[in-house]
Amino acid sequence: KGSLHTDELLRAVLAEPALRSGRRLSHVFRFDVPLYAKPLLITDAAINISPSLTDKADIAQNAIDLARVLGVDAPKVAVLAAVAANMPSTLDAAALCKMADRGQICGGMLDGPLAFDNAISVEAARIKGIRSEVAGNADILLVPDLESGNMLAKQLEYLGGASGSGVVLGARVPIALTSRADGPR
């Protein structure tokens, strides 16, 4: 990508019909986080600004498909959102879980809404009385919007010592997507 802005690169991809797959494009970060026992995928922190429920279903499916390619048989997806009945992200999280129950999102296990601590900490989930296969053991964090995802990813990298890489999914080929601030590593 070099010094191109993301929108410039993706505009060129979308202008080429042979690269389209029919599924929404989305971005996934794959991080190695020093204090987390396994690789962690975060989606979508770079493309979809304020995704709809339908968009989030594609975003979840793209991340699940990637996790399976990376060797995770049944990826655990934590749909991050506040647990507050009147927030759109909370309602989306519940709807996504129901979609997974009905087979509309396949190959992974979804739970949400889950706060970040409940998604990655067994102890936090236990203290809060959350019983879930996903809570405290997430492979994928599905964020409510680009802002929250981008902040989470940058915090993990700059404050948490995480190392990662990013890829755009949903096209006929994966597209490497780096930050202009990324070094060669």
Side-chain angles (χ1 to χ4, degrees):
K1 179 178 157 230
S3 62
L4 285 177
H5 287 271
T6 300
D7 61 332
E8 293 175 281
L9 175 65
L10 294 181
R11 200 174 9 255
V13 169
L14 292 172
E16 182 55 53
L19 293 177
R20 294 185 181 188
S21 71
R23 192 181 288 168
R24 179 124 186 127
L25 293 183
S26 63
H27 180 269
V28 177
F29 274 117
R30 185 219 180 261
F31 280 110
D32 287 318
V33 183
L35 296 177
Y36 200 63
K38 58 184 174 178
L40 187 61
L41 302 180
I42 299 174
T43 192
D44 179 337
I47 295 177
N48 293 286
I49 296 169
S50 184
S52 68
L53 176 62
T54 305
D55 296 339
K56 288 177 184 179
D58 276 352
I59 291 167
Q61 192 65 64
N62 286 342
I64 289 167
D65 292 348
L66 175 63
R68 291 174 58 93
V69 166
L70 295 175
V72 181
D73 291 333
K76 294 175 178 72
V77 182
V79 186
L80 298 184
V83 182
N86 61 348
M87 293 183 68
S89 60
T90 302
L91 299 174
D92 283 354
L96 289 166
C97 293
K98 191 62 175 176
M99 291 171 76
D101 290 346
R102 292 180 174 170
Q104 294 167 286
I105 301 170
C106 303
M109 183 183 314
L110 276 71
D111 195 8
L114 288 172
F116 178 77
D117 59 338
N118 302 323
I120 61 156
S121 169
V122 171
E123 183 65 6
R126 186 193 63 74
I127 290 169
K128 293 181 181 180
I130 298 170
R131 292 189 183 121
S132 165
E133 295 285 326
V134 175
N137 196 25
D139 297 298
I140 300 167
L141 302 178
L142 189 136
V143 298
D145 57 34
L146 184 142
E147 285 180 312
S148 59
N150 196 276
M151 284 186 260
L152 174 58
K154 302 280 184 190
Q155 288 167 351
L156 286 173
E157 180 180 358
Y158 286 94
L159 293 175
S163 60
S165 59
V167 63
V168 176
L169 303 169
R172 295 218 180 269
V173 296
I175 302 160
L177 189 64
T178 57
S179 169
R180 293 183 316 275
D182 286 345
R185 186 169 185 264

